[in-house]
Amino acid sequence: MTNIRTMRAFRTLSLRSLPLIGSCTAALLVPLALPLGGAAQAVDSARGAAPRMAAATQSLPLSPLTPLAGSSDEEGTDDTSGPTLSLAGQGLPPTDTEPFSLLGVVWEDPTEHIEGQVEVRIRDSGTGDWSDWLELDAHPEHAPDPASAKAEGRELRGGTAPRWVGAADAVEARVAPAADAAAESLPDGLSLELINPGELAADAPAPRPQEVPAAGDHVGPRPGIVIRSGWGADESLRESGFVYTDTVKTAFVHHTADTNNYSCSEAPAMIRAIYRYHVVSQGWRDVGYNFFVDRCGTIYEGRAGGVIEPVQGAHTAGFNHNSMGVAVIGTYTGTKPNRDITDALSLLTAWKLGLFDVNAGGSANRTSQGGGKYAKGTTVRMNNISGHRDGFATECPGEELYKALGTVRSTATRLQGR
């Protein structure tokens, strides 16, 4: 790989001297791990992470159901006495499980899609109530480049987008093909994956910094970043090595298409769950995104390899090379991102793109490596801060977040001193 550029000498810059960002930058976290529990606690394979509850994955095979299992005549109740839909397909009847907080459906062939509908409902382990039916995004939008996975000898699996559901202890699922398709059109090896991210002593709000260091000459101020040990990454799950590209030309903004109804103290567990789903359930080398941002504006390191390095992620098929992917936790199709989110995105992109002498407000030609929206070899002019939809046929990062990218670009450009 190209040698990483030496960081310019930093000067200290008070948060109060950043009027473009405002007071909400106080929500950004310093890059350190939080103090952990006492020696009496067993230590898991995450470096320095003391668990209160071990992480785990449950794989529940789906089987043919005709008609598909439903909940009742009125969805969302706890009456599971009879089916509601008369559709051929596959599913899982109401089933008691070990505790979990995130789920998704996977299948054998990563190149296949589900042309139809995937729905689940869960039982809240605290209240005992069943949720309404929740639809999972059945079209894989984030994936490693198939050639690189094959070269590394890994077996990838297709999968829906993962969905955080909170503490649950029972589940029901139904997968229906499109109206004009037979049940046999569904992918082989359908399985419901239930992820328990575990509970760590580190699952608490981190201290907020009073200052951030800033670099000169078009490198924006470095934001506080919660590194992997800070959110409790189990480093034994991922591939031991790292894959780097030459530079970072484009920052692709995503949303996780997940719930917006989460507390920011839950964000580390949500990231651990997504990480486990990507690696254990889908066979990826590591979590797909290079960074995460929660709704309080906290920035988290995603894929391992160093926050200043051009680490290749698995976030925008066709353009994973020479780019970075940052995912905002939540769904922003009809919900506007708040100021904390847009400020965090501005800080992160101004800094990371600036390290590689890239104008946050500019654009560049990018050539597709295939597998996404554009055929391999197609050259496309893209904004240096783009949405996932610019490189892949998807709604991601949601209409409202996509519309906010203009503000992110202009703010990041000014933070770079351009």
Side-chain angles (χ1 to χ4, degrees):
M1 58 165 285
T2 302
N3 290 333
I4 300 305
R5 299 111 185 106
T6 302
M7 294 282 292
R8 296 182 177 87
F10 286 141
R11 65 177 183 274
T12 299
L13 180 66
S14 170
L15 285 173
R16 292 180 181 177
S17 67
L18 289 174
L20 295 174
I21 294 301
S23 61
C24 58
T25 38
L28 296 176
L29 306 187
V30 291
L32 48 78
L34 297 179
L36 302 175
Q41 293 175 298
V43 177
D44 68 10
S45 52
R47 297 181 187 129
R52 294 174 180 156
M53 179 186 295
T57 301
Q58 302 171 71
S59 298
L60 306 179
L62 303 188
S63 57
L65 293 175
T66 308
L68 286 175
S71 59
S72 67
D73 290 338
E74 182 179 353
E75 294 183 355
T77 71
D78 59 2
D79 179 7
T80 58
S81 59
T84 57
L85 296 180
S86 297
L87 299 172
Q90 295 190 37
L92 183 77
T95 302
D96 291 339
T97 68
E98 294 299 315
F100 68 95
S101 297
L102 177 141
L103 50 72
V105 172
V106 301
W107 52 88
E108 291 177 3
D109 188 344
T111 66
E112 286 193 75
H113 294 194
I114 291 179
E115 298 300 334
Q117 192 172 46
V118 182
E119 293 182 305
V120 296
R121 68 187 197 113
I122 59 93
R123 187 177 67 198
D124 187 299
S125 59
T127 66
D129 295 333
W130 283 88
S131 71
D132 294 333
W133 285 100
L134 307 172
E135 185 171 0
L136 303 184
D137 186 347
H139 295 276
E141 299 175 346
H142 314 85
D145 293 323
S148 65
K150 185 176 181 180
E152 293 162 4
R154 290 180 291 119
E155 293 294 329
L156 301 181
R157 303 187 75 188
T160 66
R163 176 145 185 166
W164 181 265
V165 293
D169 58 10
V171 67
E172 184 177 7
R174 56 194 189 190
V175 180
D180 57 351
E184 292 75 16
S185 66
L186 295 175
D188 293 333
L190 288 169
S191 172
L192 181 64
E193 302 288 292
L194 309 179
I195 310 297
N196 182 343
E199 294 180 2
L200 302 182
D203 285 349
R208 295 180 177 182
Q210 298 301 309
E211 300 177 329
V212 291
D217 296 339
H218 308 314
V219 179
R222 177 170 178 162
I225 300 172
V226 178
I227 60 176
R228 287 171 63 93
S229 61
W231 53 262
D234 181 345
E235 301 296 357
S236 70
L237 296 181
R238 64 172 176 83
E239 292 285 326
S240 58
F242 311 112
V243 177
Y244 299 100
T245 55
D246 295 325
T247 184
V248 176
K249 295 180 179 179
T250 313
F252 287 104
V253 177
H254 306 252
H255 67 171
T256 61
D258 215 327
T259 179
N260 293 326
N261 186 25
Y262 65 91
S263 66
C264 292
S265 63
E266 289 182 286
M270 297 175 79
I271 296 170
R272 289 198 303 275
I274 294 170
Y275 169 47
R276 194 173 187 90
Y277 181 76
H278 283 176
V279 176
V280 177
S281 298
Q282 292 193 270
W284 299 7
R285 66 175 298 116
D286 197 347
V287 69
Y289 308 108
N290 298 100
F291 297 94
F292 290 88
V293 171
D294 70 21
R295 65 184 185 84
C296 291
T298 306
I299 302 171
Y300 301 84
E301 177 186 15
R303 178 161 287 206
V307 296
I308 70 169
E309 308 276 9
V311 178
Q312 179 166 308
H315 49 82
T316 308
F319 299 96
N320 285 319
H321 62 296
N322 293 341
S323 70
M324 60 174 268
V326 51
V328 180
I329 301 174
T331 298
Y332 297 92
T333 302
T335 300
K336 292 183 179 180
N338 62 34
R339 179 73 180 272
D340 289 345
I341 291 170
T342 55
D343 284 352
L345 290 173
S346 300
L347 274 169
L348 176 60
T349 53
W351 170 70
K352 188 62 184 274
L353 290 175
L355 293 177
F356 297 90
D357 198 27
V358 173
N359 184 341
S363 62
N365 288 331
R366 297 301 315 273
T367 301
S368 172
Q369 301 298 299
K373 184 175 180 179
Y374 298 99
K376 185 175 182 178
T378 304
T379 298
V380 185
R381 192 77 179 177
M382 288 186 176
N383 289 313
N384 296 338
I385 299 176
S386 285
H388 184 195
R389 65 175 62 178
D390 294 319
F392 197 93
T394 174
E395 293 184 358
C396 183
E399 186 63 25
E400 294 299 327
L401 181 52
Y402 189 75
K403 289 193 296 187
L405 293 186
T407 298
V408 172
R409 292 184 198 105
S410 60
T411 304
T413 301
R414 285 179 288 172
L415 285 168
Q416 288 185 334
R418 296 183 186 272

